[in-house]
């Protein structure tokens, strides 16, 4: 078994749900050498998250943002942690709900995502800046 690891810094994006599948694949070309294995993507931030979901219809991303903004509103007077602005604590909560990593099987040199699946960066801050990902792939070499 071989293990590969790369760090990927994503460009800053506005708040919302952004497909990053192609960027992840481009950052880890070693995946093509694996017949079977696993790819784990981990985000090194507490106010953004990762998820896998539909990659075809952009209204899915719009609805995700609407749902999380309604479920975890800004300016809640009960929040104590607000040093970095009204979007700070909601961003941490959204990140905790969605998670900091995803794992995807590798099959025949490709991520074994479903037909309509993509990897999302979930940016929960208005001005989150660039986001660092650690991408690790391991498995059997072809």
């Amino acid at each position: 078994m071989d293990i590969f690891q790369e760090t990927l810094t994503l460009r800053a994006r506005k708040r919302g749900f952004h497909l990053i599948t192609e960027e992840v694949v481009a950052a880890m070309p070693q995946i093509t050498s694996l017949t079977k294995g696993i790819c784990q993507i981990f985000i090194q931030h507490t106010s953004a998250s990762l998820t896998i979901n539909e990659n075809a219809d952009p209204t899915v991303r719009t609805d995700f943002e609407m749902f999380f903004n309604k479920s975890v509103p800004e300016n809640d007077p009960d929040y104590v942690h607000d040093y970095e602005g009204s979007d700070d604590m909601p961003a941490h909560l959204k990140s905790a709900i969605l998670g900091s990593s995803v794992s995807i099987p590798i099959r025949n040199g490709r991520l074994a995502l479903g037909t309509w699946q993509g990897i999302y960066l979930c940016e929960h801050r208005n001005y989150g800046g660039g986001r660092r990902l650690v991408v690790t792939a391991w498995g059997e070499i072809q």
Side-chain angles (χ1 to χ4, degrees), residues 6-65:
E6 299 291 341
T7 300
L8 166 63
T9 301
L10 300 172
R11 65 177 167 76
R13 289 175 164 84
K14 66 180 183 175
R15 187 157 96 176
F17 290 74
H18 308 278
L19 287 167
I20 59 166
T21 310
E22 291 179 16
E23 291 172 81
V24 170
V25 169
M28 183 59 77
Q30 301 92 330
I31 288 172
T32 61
S33 69
L34 300 175
T35 56
K36 58 184 168 188
I38 298 289
C39 180
Q40 182 203 40
I41 303 108
F42 175 79
I43 189 164
Q44 294 183 304
H45 300 274
T46 61
S47 57
S49 56
L50 300 171
T51 194
I52 295 172
N53 216 288
E54 181 177 329
N55 66 355
D57 184 348
T59 63
V60 170
R61 297 189 289 278
T62 301
D63 288 345
F64 261 117
E65 181 67 11

Side-chain angles (χ1 to χ4, degrees), residues 3 5 12 25 27 53 61 67 69 82 85-86 102 122 134 137 140:
I3 301 173
Q5 189 171 80
V25 169
N53 216 288
R61 297 189 289 278
F67 172 82
N69 287 337
D82 61 359
S86 63
V102 294
C122 313
V134 177
E140 296 179 9

Side-chain angles (χ1 to χ4, degrees), residues 65-81:
E65 181 67 11
M66 175 274 308
F67 172 82
F68 280 99
N69 287 337
K70 285 172 65 175
S71 300
V72 186
E74 292 183 21
N75 299 306
D76 186 319
D78 292 331
Y79 294 146
V80 176
H81 179 77

